[in-house]
Amino acid sequence: MTPDRVLVPDAATRGGGLPQNIRETAAAVAATMFTTDAGPPPPERIAWLCDDLHDFFVRAGDRARGTFRVCLAVISLTAPWFVGRLGTFRSLDETLRARALERMERSPLALAVFGAKAVLCFVYYEHPDAARLVGHAPRCLVDGGPRP
């Protein structure tokens, strides 16, 4: 027997997720954001992030999906200006990408950077390897297990 389905009047309809160009920009921004002294995150983790982002935005509402897409479009098109270049964010090398994001964060366009970074962080740190990196132990507060 299947339980009755609860219909929510304002439930998000399934959308189209993220187009390839937005996924590629998200990957470039994430690789820049999550680079450490040891280097950028593994390409497999960035691919996982993009797949999970796509899945998230398939289920998200149009407003959330549209806002994220606008944030990444603003970064893609304007970040190069902050380092004196033309083109897109993806056309910059890693050093210029980091400098461009840092400068954008101190500009009137900072909201676009912060919006994209917030969503990318939520999803990135869901990955078990990334969660472990920041000391997340999912059961330590529930069952009294050891703390990291």
Side-chain angles (χ1 to χ4, degrees), residues 104-130:
M104 277 189 82
E105 287 177 348
R106 294 188 304 266
S107 80
L109 297 176
L111 195 57
V113 179
F114 296 141
K117 285 176 86 171
V119 173
L120 290 169
C121 284
F122 288 142
V123 176
Y124 183 82
Y125 286 108
E126 287 180 353
H127 191 281
D129 294 341

Side-chain angles (χ1 to χ4, degrees), residues 11-144:
T13 58
R14 286 189 179 256
L18 300 175
Q20 189 61 32
N21 66 327
I22 295 294
R23 287 176 65 140
E24 290 170 0
T25 300
V29 172
T32 303
M33 282 175 49
F34 300 115
T35 294
T36 64
D37 292 337
E44 303 81 35
R45 187 164 320 150
I46 297 298
W48 175 89
L49 169 70
C50 290
D51 289 343
D52 212 41
L53 271 174
H54 177 75
D55 185 63
F56 174 80
F57 281 112
V58 163
R59 292 166 172 70
D62 293 338
R63 192 176 334 162
R65 188 173 34 259
T67 300
F68 185 71
R69 289 173 69 171
V70 167
C71 287
L72 285 177
V74 168
I75 292 169
S76 181
L77 298 174
T78 65
W81 302 346
F82 288 90
V83 290
R85 300 289 197 278
L86 295 176
T88 64
F89 182 77
R90 290 180 307 198
S91 69
L92 301 174
D93 66 39
E94 290 81 11
T95 304
L96 286 177
R97 287 177 181 176
R99 191 174 312 142
L101 285 180
E102 289 169 3
R103 289 179 180 173
M104 277 189 82
E105 287 177 348
R106 294 188 304 266
S107 80
L109 297 176
L111 195 57
V113 179
F114 296 141
K117 285 176 86 171
V119 173
L120 290 169
C121 284
F122 288 142
V123 176
Y124 183 82
Y125 286 108
E126 287 180 353
H127 191 281
D129 294 341
R132 250 189 316 282
L133 185 67
V134 295
H136 175 67
R139 297 170 47 121
C140 70
L141 298 177
V142 175
D143 63 6

